[in-house]
Amino acid sequence: MDIIRKIEREHMRVDLPKFRPGDTVKVHLRIIEGEKERIQVFQGAVLRIKRGTTTSTFTVRKTSDGVGVERIFPFHTPAIERVEVVSEGKVRRSRLYYLRGLKGKAAKIKTKNQWD
């Protein structure tokens, strides 16, 4: 088992910033279309973070043209160029699945103040 953990540690990324559920993040992805490569930005609220070693993921939700879009990103994939934290959210839960049923201002997450 120690050999497997050693191999997993070699492939893990340490350059991603710390963020929590409720934070708004910009995920810069490398998209390869044929021979061309480009960067696509996916900005939204973090709904959940699944911890682990190489299997850790985070789910980001955004609203695009009135339709909710969720995407699950692996933490340690080379397809992610970088992750930017836009704002920190003030939430009391670790899983924000209740946002799926809300629309408009009700789906907005309050931002953390400097003194919180």
Side-chain angles (χ1 to χ4, degrees), residues 6-115:
K6 192 181 292 185
I7 292 170
E8 284 180 345
R9 244 184 266 127
E10 292 173 4
H11 295 286
M12 291 175 67
R13 293 179 65 160
V14 294
D15 61 336
L16 296 179
K18 300 279 185 190
F19 55 90
R20 301 176 53 199
D23 293 353
T24 303
V25 295
K26 282 185 183 178
V27 182
H28 297 261
L29 288 166
R30 274 192 211 101
I31 305 292
I32 300 170
E33 295 172 334
E35 307 230 345
K36 296 180 182 177
E37 184 176 316
R38 65 185 175 90
I39 302 293
Q40 184 176 19
V41 180
F42 192 92
Q43 180 175 346
V46 178
L47 289 188
R48 71 178 286 224
I49 296 176
K50 179 183 166 279
R51 303 286 181 190
T53 53
T54 54
T55 61
S56 57
T57 61
F58 61 99
T59 304
V60 180
R61 179 182 176 85
K62 74 172 183 176
T63 305
S64 180
D65 292 326
V67 178
V69 179
E70 289 183 16
R71 190 151 179 199
I72 301 171
F73 298 101
F75 264 102
H76 307 293
T77 181
I80 293 179
E81 180 75 25
R82 69 179 190 267
V83 177
E84 294 178 34
V85 179
V86 177
S87 65
E88 294 182 3
K90 184 178 178 183
V91 294
R92 297 172 69 176
R93 297 172 181 242
S94 63
R95 306 281 193 256
L96 305 179
Y97 297 138
Y98 66 89
L99 290 176
R100 293 173 176 164
L102 302 178
K103 289 192 241 179
K105 281 189 178 180
K108 192 172 181 181
I109 298 173
K110 291 182 181 178
T111 58
K112 259 189 192 175
N113 292 336
Q114 183 180 358
W115 302 279

